[in-house]
Amino acid sequence: MHPRLRRTENTGNPARKPSLDLNSRVRGVPSPHAALTRAATEFLTLHHAENALGDPARRVSEALTEIGATGTYRHTPDELSFGARVAWRNASRCIGRLYWRSLRVLDRRSLSRAEDLAAACATHLREATHGGRIRPLVTVFAPDAPGRPGPRIWNEQLIRYAGYARPDGSVTGDPRTTGFTALARRLGWPGGPGTPFDVLPLVIQGAGGAPRWFELPSDAVLEVPIEHPEYAWWAELGLRWHAVPALSCMCLEIGGVCYPAAPFNGWYMGSEIGARNFGDTGRYDLLPCIARRLGLDTASDRSLWKDRALVEVNRAVLHSFDRAGVTMSDHHTESRRFLAHLDREERKGRTVGADWSWIVPPLSGSATPVFHRTYDTVEQRPAFVHHPEALARARGEADATLVQTCC
């Protein structure tokens, strides 16, 4: 234990304020634990400050002692929940952070076997779906520890559609997932029926094991058929999309501890599906098809056929989710909510990091209030973090026999 921490803890005067900057208390701690002790001290100090828990010295002392003995430390359930919520608050690419305090946290740190994670992921989706009233949710599995890596979920999201690459270069399904689809096939997944919307299996690597695939139960995947409020022919296209956007390849980092498997979700903003998933040329690329069905002049971009088709695709998505009773926001509403979040956080003296290129919606950006200002690009902890090796797994670029490595 650091000697100055001991003197603070043993004063016997609970009313006495901390006399030191807690960051200074970890100076001089030798490697290899210096970075972890610094991160732990900063997080535990933040937790105590924001929750009015008083002097954090005793808790910091406990954590540093545990780090010295084991190379890591264990968060209390309250610390875990607070850390996960603040990680959402700090997500610089997310426009929907106004409700960060509402994030439900499922503590599943006792789970590290692949089959247990697969079952818990299905439970996550059922609870997040909530009959269509989507709930923000994170499930946190076992963390990395020295010599004991935690489990990994290889999927980019718990629900994605397969992309089957054809010999002629075309793709049936989602071109974004062709690499991951091929990887799942190499692991033994037989593939789905071959539609554009076959749900991919989960690929999970248990602690110390090889990756395995698991089919998601049908009752864990709510899908919404996409129809248009005016054009009856739209239903003939057979479009649909899943209700819960649950990211699963990001590491949750809290106070220096890495939770490599921590799937989390909010709810969709309509343009994520209508403008990106359906509209991008590297995804389902629906705009030419929709424009032809609408009778638009596609000979020249100056006719704005892409813009007109894009609006109708987004109208169809919003209409369909509303009709199905599934939670979805639109980009105008979410933009106003983000500015409300920004104002609320700044009044509390907190800096809000934001990436303009992600915060501004991909549809009618300049018609939303988030377009007309700049943002701080600071990265803060706790955070949901992309690690290169996790991105490689999600793209299907990793060898299927890849052994786990700590973050």
Side-chain angles (χ1 to χ4, degrees):
M1 182 188 300
H2 195 287
R4 298 177 78 177
L5 273 178
R6 181 171 303 175
R7 285 201 296 271
T8 302
E9 178 182 309
N10 293 335
T11 58
N13 181 4
R16 180 178 177 180
K17 295 181 179 180
S19 59
L20 298 171
D21 173 2
L22 280 173
N23 288 331
S24 71
R25 299 180 185 179
V26 299
R27 291 172 189 156
V29 176
S31 295
H33 303 319
L36 177 57
T37 55
R38 186 178 304 109
T41 300
E42 291 174 355
F43 168 69
L44 295 171
T45 301
L46 180 70
H47 178 240
H48 277 67
E50 290 200 16
N51 294 280
L53 298 177
D55 187 351
R58 180 181 297 276
R59 176 63 183 125
V60 171
S61 175
E62 293 172 351
L64 298 192
T65 298
E66 190 175 355
I67 290 169
T70 69
T72 188
Y73 70 107
R74 182 177 176 83
H75 293 123
T76 68
D78 285 346
E79 290 165 358
L80 184 72
S81 294
F82 173 76
R85 290 171 183 141
V86 174
W88 185 16
R89 186 178 83 191
N90 289 340
S92 62
R93 292 181 172 183
C94 179
I95 195 174
R97 288 177 265 168
L98 178 62
Y99 303 109
W100 64 271
R101 290 184 180 276
S102 71
L103 181 68
R104 295 180 64 237
V105 181
L106 299 183
D107 185 349
R108 299 293 182 265
R109 287 176 289 174
S110 63
L111 303 183
S112 60
R113 298 192 310 162
E115 55 268 38
D116 294 334
L117 263 72
C121 286
T123 298
H124 176 114
L125 289 171
R126 295 185 189 102
E127 295 199 16
T129 301
H130 194 219
R133 300 185 300 280
I134 310 300
R135 297 188 287 198
L137 183 68
V138 60
T139 299
V140 184
F141 296 107
D144 280 339
R148 191 176 70 252
R152 266 81 172 145
I153 300 171
W154 285 35
N155 307 61
E156 180 182 37
Q157 295 190 19
L158 294 184
I159 306 172
R160 277 292 199 196
Y161 295 118
Y164 303 104
R166 302 305 180 193
D168 63 359
S170 65
V171 175
T172 298
D174 191 347
R176 183 183 182 91
T177 67
T178 54
F180 190 86
T181 302
L183 182 146
R185 299 293 295 270
R186 293 197 299 273
L187 288 174
W189 181 55
T195 75
F197 300 99
D198 290 357
V199 175
L200 281 164
L202 296 175
V203 174
I204 299 175
Q205 188 172 15
R212 298 165 55 192
W213 67 272
F214 299 86
E215 204 80 61
L216 275 169
S218 58
D219 71 326
V221 182
L222 176 62
E223 295 180 282
V224 177
I226 306 301
E227 301 178 358
H228 195 278
E230 298 170 15
Y231 303 115
W233 53 262
W234 206 284
E236 300 170 6
L237 301 175
L239 304 176
R240 62 179 183 267
W241 206 260
H242 55 90
V244 178
L247 293 168
S248 54
C249 72
M250 298 181 77
C251 173
L252 173 59
E253 292 185 3
I254 302 175
V257 176
C258 175
Y259 298 93
F264 69 98
N265 70 274
W267 51 74
Y268 270 118
M269 184 169 70
S271 58
E272 293 179 87
I273 301 171
R276 301 302 309 277
N277 299 341
F278 283 156
D280 281 1
T281 56
R283 301 295 298 285
Y284 280 81
D285 194 21
L286 291 180
L287 299 189
C289 168
I290 298 302
R292 288 192 297 269
R293 296 297 294 262
L294 291 171
L296 302 179
D297 176 12
T298 61
S300 171
D301 288 345
R302 291 180 68 84
S303 70
L304 302 185
W305 64 269
K306 295 179 183 178
D307 310 72
R308 295 169 67 186
L310 188 62
V311 168
E312 296 307 327
V313 173
N314 280 271
R315 287 185 66 204
V317 169
L318 289 169
H319 164 78
S320 300
F321 271 67
D322 287 347
R323 184 176 180 180
V326 175
T327 304
M328 168 173 281
S329 183
D330 65 86
H331 52 291
H332 296 288
T333 299
E334 211 59 62
S335 294
R336 291 192 296 271
R337 288 175 177 171
F338 180 72
L339 292 187
H341 167 71
L342 199 68
D343 179 67
R344 180 183 297 177
E345 291 299 303
E346 289 177 345
R347 281 190 279 110
K348 290 181 177 294
R350 295 194 285 255
T351 299
V352 178
D355 185 333
W356 189 95
S357 65
W358 281 76
I359 295 300
V360 175
L363 175 70
S364 305
S366 64
T368 64
V370 294
F371 178 90
H372 302 278
R373 58 161 298 157
T374 58
Y375 304 95
D376 295 309
T377 57
V378 295
E379 296 293 333
Q380 303 174 88
R381 294 293 190 273
F384 288 100
V385 180
H386 280 299
H387 291 292
E389 66 275 14
L391 290 172
R393 289 191 290 265
R395 289 191 294 260
E397 297 171 356
D399 190 304
T401 61
L402 180 72
V403 296
Q404 299 173 90
T405 57
C406 290
C407 296

